[in-house]
Amino acid sequence: MQDWSIKELSSLLREKKTSSVEITTDYLAIIKKKNPEINAFITVDENRSIAQAKLADERIQKGEGDALTGVPIAQKDIFCAEDWLTTCGSKMLHNFIAPYDATVVKKFNEAGAINLGKTNMDEFAMGSSNETSYFGAVKNPWDLSRVPGGSSGGSAAAIASRMCPGATATDTGGSIRQPASLCGLTGLKPTYGLVSRYGMIAFASSLDQAGPMAKSSEDCAMMLNVMAGFDPKDSTSIDHKKEDYTKNIDQPIEGLKIGLPKEYFAEGLDSDVAKLIEAAINQYKKLGATIVDVSLPNTNLSIPVYYVLAPAEASSNLSRYDGVRYGHRTSQYDDLMDMYSKTRQEGFGEEVKRRILIGTYVLSAGYYDAYYLKAQQIRHLISEDFKKAFQSCDVIMGPTAPSTAFKANEKIDDPVTMYLQDIYTIATNLAGLPGMSIPAGFVNKLPVGLQIIGNYFDEARMLNVAHQFQKATDWHKAIPDGALS
């Protein structure tokens, strides 16, 4: 049961060959056994999950329900879930019980999916290694001495260790795709605005995007069918025509034009990773695709631009955590300003404080034009680079991350080196484009991800392109040693 896909679980439930209660109970037992070592989950509520499973079984017995009815899914702890502890991986929210459901959580509930629990994450989604969580670092199931990637490392590790078949995640600068790459999974960051951000605790509002993470593109397509859709509660939600992302997933890709940006294969990319990406491109050639050379000349500016804009938005969004309405409040203070200061000093971790300080600085009088405004101008140039590239290709491909998973504590004291782990993923967030990572092989028994970038609202084509590769290869079926024990 542990290694069944979402599609397989859905079929078995529809055929009444198993029950949601049975599946959910088994997964909860696996979580209880494995989570103390992996630390992928922050919160598990067995009674609540089983109660959902019983309701799902009743719907199935009546011939009702959707494709995901009865299927267990984990939720990243950045999504509010009514009456669930929702921490965002921070001491600031260590005691916060959400009074409502995020739209993403609500959609899965309405579909009849089971919430297995809330997954660990970098604090307020700020990190590339899942080492900044107040609840402790998450370990990579492929090598427990290494990081799973971040900030959605808990979701990635939970799936890779087979504690759940799929999980929600969020991506502000690569936080779905990078952990998917480092843990050997499929992860999709949709077009900005395709999935509602309502009830998703904000980091950088113009960059944050929710998406699915699972073992295969087919499973991600099933999850995206639930997640996508216009939401009037989210002012950034786009009223895009509803799609079935599984409909054309089996279509052949002969004639597909793949753009290869020269900037993605320059200095900084591990040579062994580069060889695997080249092998994956050759596999696409065998499937009938053609290769087109493209250029994204402002790629090298994406990280400095991101680390001006994202902290600026974070400094604004995180100002709401003042100890007055919810979350952590310091126990001893002299006056209101002292309470604000001590609450934030105690409640926020070092990386969050660093980004708040950077953001406040670039927005301050005298520096706004020099940093924030200039970064917005370069952001436009980065978007124009993609626009020009897509005039000659259908999708863009390259590495997801410059290397395989690195050792825990290896980069935590060097923020710049850590930030460079997202060099290939950040630009798509700045442009609002969809991107995904799929398994493409192994270097020294550690997974490597191939990144696929599509044009706006081209998720169906991307999932089709990914699926055809996964039909021709077995990389996405690989399992960490001991994951099924």
Side-chain angles (χ1 to χ4, degrees), residues 2-3 26 29-31 33-34 37 160-163 479-485:
Q2 271 182 269
D3 203 36
D26 285 348
I30 296 166
I31 293 170
K33 177 182 178 182
K34 292 185 176 182
E37 181 176 50
S161 60
R162 300 310 192 255
M163 285 190 270
I479 305 169
D481 290 341
L484 297 183
S485 61

Side-chain angles (χ1 to χ4, degrees), residues 126 172 202-208 303-320 351-364 367-376 379 419 430:
M126 299 181 193
T172 305
F203 161 18
S205 300
S206 75
L207 299 163
D208 297 341
I303 286 183
V305 167
Y306 177 87
Y307 282 101
V308 169
L309 299 180
E313 295 183 22
S315 70
S316 176
N317 280 324
L318 271 61
S319 65
R320 72 192 67 180
E351 182 62 26
V352 174
K353 291 175 185 175
R354 179 184 294 117
R355 299 198 193 193
I356 290 173
L357 287 171
I358 293 171
T360 303
Y361 177 80
V362 301
L363 290 176
S364 61
Y367 298 101
Y368 180 90
D369 290 348
Y371 294 103
Y372 184 78
L373 185 60
K374 183 65 68 176
Q376 290 287 22
R379 181 180 191 173
Y419 298 163
L430 292 169

Side-chain angles (χ1 to χ4, degrees), residues 18 36 48 97-98 102 119 121-122 155 194 229 245 305 313 333 341:
T18 187
R48 189 182 294 270
I97 304 296
T119 58
M121 56 180 285
D122 278 308
S155 291
L194 184 67
Y245 296 100
V305 167
E313 295 183 22
Y333 52 90
S341 178

Side-chain angles (χ1 to χ4, degrees), residues 376-391:
Q376 290 287 22
Q377 292 169 340
I378 299 174
R379 181 180 191 173
H380 176 72
L381 294 178
I382 291 170
S383 297
E384 289 298 307
D385 287 348
F386 280 108
K387 183 178 179 180
K388 183 177 180 180
F390 279 120
Q391 291 176 359

Side-chain angles (χ1 to χ4, degrees), residues 228-455:
F230 176 68
D231 181 10
K233 294 180 179 179
D234 174 10
S235 62
T236 61
S237 180
I238 296 175
D239 194 1
H240 180 70
K241 182 181 178 182
K242 188 72 174 176
E243 294 185 60
D244 179 358
Y245 296 100
T246 65
K247 183 179 180 181
N248 297 316
I249 202 165
D250 281 313
Q251 294 296 314
I253 58 170
E254 190 171 356
L256 178 80
K257 293 181 179 179
I258 298 173
L260 294 185
K262 61 182 181 181
E263 294 81 6
Y264 285 13
F265 296 88
E267 184 180 357
L269 176 63
D270 180 90
S271 59
D272 290 327
V273 171
K275 290 176 184 177
L276 285 182
I277 300 303
E278 290 169 5
I281 299 301
N282 287 331
Q283 178 63 56
Y284 273 108
K285 289 181 182 178
K286 294 177 183 178
L287 293 172
T290 57
I291 307 304
V292 178
D293 290 328
V294 298
S295 179
L296 301 172
N298 291 295
T299 294
N300 65 317
L301 297 176
S302 60
I303 286 183
V305 167
Y306 177 87
Y307 282 101
V308 169
L309 299 180
E313 295 183 22
S315 70
S316 176
N317 280 324
L318 271 61
S319 65
R320 72 192 67 180
Y321 303 107
D322 52 16
V324 176
R325 289 155 292 187
Y326 47 77
H328 174 72
R329 178 189 290 184
T330 187
S331 59
Q332 295 182 347
Y333 52 90
D334 298 327
D335 53 31
L336 187 63
M337 291 305 296
D338 190 43
M339 185 193 76
Y340 288 166
S341 178
K342 288 181 178 177
T343 292
R344 290 167 176 161
Q345 181 181 6
E346 296 168 5
F348 291 135
E350 292 304 311
E351 182 62 26
V352 174
K353 291 175 185 175
R354 179 184 294 117
R355 299 198 193 193
I356 290 173
L357 287 171
I358 293 171
T360 303
Y361 177 80
V362 301
L363 290 176
S364 61
Y367 298 101
Y368 180 90
D369 290 348
Y371 294 103
Y372 184 78
L373 185 60
K374 183 65 68 176
Q376 290 287 22
Q377 292 169 340
I378 299 174
R379 181 180 191 173
H380 176 72
L381 294 178
I382 291 170
S383 297
E384 289 298 307
D385 287 348
F386 280 108
K387 183 178 179 180
K388 183 177 180 180
F390 279 120
Q391 291 176 359
S392 59
C393 66
D394 300 311
V395 296
I396 293 170
M397 290 189 186
T400 304
S403 67
T404 55
F406 48 91
K407 292 277 189 178
N409 300 314
E410 182 179 321
K411 303 180 190 295
I412 195 69
D413 294 325
D414 188 351
V416 175
T417 302
M418 182 76 80
Y419 298 163
L420 287 170
Q421 293 301 303
D422 297 328
I423 182 65
Y424 304 124
T425 56
I426 281 176
T428 55
N429 296 81
L430 292 169
L433 290 164
M436 67 184 299
S437 181
I438 60 175
F442 291 83
V443 171
N444 297 324
K445 298 183 179 181
L446 294 172
V448 170
L450 170 71
Q451 183 173 204
I452 304 171
I453 301 170
N455 215 333

